[in-house]
Amino acid sequence: MIRRTKELSDDILLMNVSAKGRTAHPDLAIASALPNDVQVSFEFFPPKTEKATESLWNSIQRLAPLNPSYVSVTYGAGGTTRERTHNTVARIRKETNLEPAAHLTCVGADQGEVLDVARQYWDAGIRHIVALRGDPPHGAEKYTPHPGGFAYASDLVSGLKSIADFEISVAAYPETHPEAKSPEADLDNLKRKIDAGATEAITQYFTDIDIFLRYLERARAAGITIPIIPGILPVTQFKRFVEFSNRSGTSVSKWMFELFEGLDDDPVSRQLVAASVAAEQCRALHANGVNQFHFYTMNRADLCYAICHILGVRAQTDD
Ligand code: FAD
């Protein structure tokens, strides 16, 4: 159950998060309640150490009462976390009421091996897969399909559908995937993934909400009707955020540099600013008709919990 936030004040206007100087709208008052219609999902990565496992598990337990649609667990670049991803997803299935989704990629394994992993998921009661091509392993400059492997995510989606009726999410790129020939070719690729059986797309994160809204408009104009859920990455360390964005072809708006300036050694202020930015992004998206959000949690609960709280997503209680 998602509870409505208390009506506090309609006077405080949402700060403008757009680089284009969009005027704040009274409906976006930061303290006013959203209409109890926000759905969230959370993404985690599989932990490497015992300490990291404990910390992940604390995060999952903190976020679980927010009643996410599902929680997903990534698959390491180059397919390096096969076992850890499986163990984490299986533990979520076994020990919580959450709906787990396992990320699966085409990298580093032939088709039979990938489908064996998928069958193990099905047998463990996992019904939701986030199907991806995957990035090349560390050190490899460009992606080359594994001999006998699935070449692209659309091929993986077809393969998965051929063995079981999984619910399948796929990736989408508001700023176009860096290897795509053109934005149109990239949308064609999303269509191929949908034709193969994907029922939902989760986007790469972005900093300016106009980028997402324009993409959504183009996708709808191209006849794509499945939910396209914005991926929201709250900033934890701004320098790393910028480095990662450069690598993944995500632009970082000028206002972000200005907002995080001088906060490198001030984690507390940085966290407050990060929560505020992400909450405003979500509220501005909501004002434009978007009510589902996928959070890249980086295995930390506090930021996402606070953002959800602002969005009116509250812990479910028994009363
Ligand atoms: P695809 O949809 O296969 O597209 C890859 C590129 O190939 C695109 O440029 C596309 O336009 C092009 N293309 C597709 N088909 C063809 C064709 N037939 N001919 C020519 N070009 C074609 N990576 C991981 O390793 N593990 C994860 O857990 C993971 N989780 C992610 C979750 C989300 C929500 C997102 C957005 C990304 C995630 N990634 C993950 C990163 C992802 O693997 C990379 O972005 C990867 O480079 C592309 O994956 P894809 O599934 O989008 O690939």
Side-chain angles (χ1 to χ4, degrees), residues 74-75 103 132-135 152-153 173 177 180 186 189 193 296:
T74 61
Y75 201 73
H103 292 220
L132 305 139
R133 186 199 74 181
D135 278 327
Y152 293 106
Y173 301 87
H177 186 267
D186 212 27
N189 180 46
K193 296 193 269 196
Y296 298 108

Side-chain angles (χ1 to χ4, degrees), residues 96-315:
T96 73
N97 290 327
L98 297 167
E99 196 51 48
H103 292 220
L104 190 58
T105 73
C106 308
V107 176
D110 65 28
Q111 295 190 10
E113 288 169 317
V114 173
L115 294 183
D116 280 346
V117 173
R119 277 190 203 94
Q120 283 168 20
Y121 278 128
W122 186 266
D123 293 343
I126 315 300
R127 299 288 179 261
H128 188 164
I129 302 274
V130 182
L132 305 139
R133 186 199 74 181
D135 278 327
H138 293 300
E141 256 181 36
K142 70 187 238 303
Y143 172 80
T144 330
H146 188 81
F150 293 111
Y152 293 106
S154 54
D155 306 315
L156 173 59
V157 176
S158 299
L160 291 170
K161 279 291 186 186
S162 74
I163 61 161
D165 192 18
F166 284 110
E167 185 182 340
I168 298 180
S169 305
V170 289
Y173 301 87
E175 295 182 79
T176 305
H177 186 267
E179 294 161 51
K181 286 203 182 91
S182 65
E184 293 71 32
D186 212 27
L187 268 186
D188 286 343
N189 180 46
L190 178 56
K191 277 192 197 165
R192 271 196 296 277
K193 296 193 269 196
I194 297 163
D195 290 344
T199 49
E200 167 192 287
I202 307 167
T203 74
Q204 180 63 282
Y205 68 92
F206 45 87
T207 58
D208 188 339
I209 66 151
D210 283 346
I211 288 173
F212 175 83
L213 294 173
R214 279 199 302 266
Y215 178 72
L216 192 61
E217 223 171 79
R218 284 199 296 116
R220 297 296 181 235
I224 292 170
T225 57
I226 62 165
I228 298 181
I229 299 172
I232 306 291
L233 176 60
V235 172
T236 41
Q237 301 207 22
F238 189 62
K239 270 188 182 160
R240 278 171 63 186
F241 179 88
V242 172
E243 279 164 20
F244 186 69
S245 302
N246 290 340
R247 280 206 306 273
S248 63
T250 303
S251 58
V252 181
S253 305
K254 191 165 161 273
W255 58 263
M256 286 279 267
F257 286 93
E258 287 162 4
L259 265 182
F260 285 96
E261 195 180 349
L263 297 183
D264 285 349
D265 299 321
D266 184 350
V268 175
S269 303
R270 206 169 57 228
Q271 194 167 14
L272 289 170
V273 172
S276 149
V277 167
E280 288 180 9
Q281 284 170 326
C282 293
R283 289 181 66 94
L285 287 168
H286 188 274
N288 282 279
V290 179
N291 67 353
Q292 285 175 279
F293 303 99
H294 181 79
F295 289 99
Y296 298 108
T297 68
M298 306 308 284
N299 288 9
R300 298 160 72 141
D302 285 353
L303 259 176
C304 292
Y305 193 91
I307 297 159
C308 288
H309 187 92
I310 294 172
L311 298 177
V313 179
R314 298 296 169 87

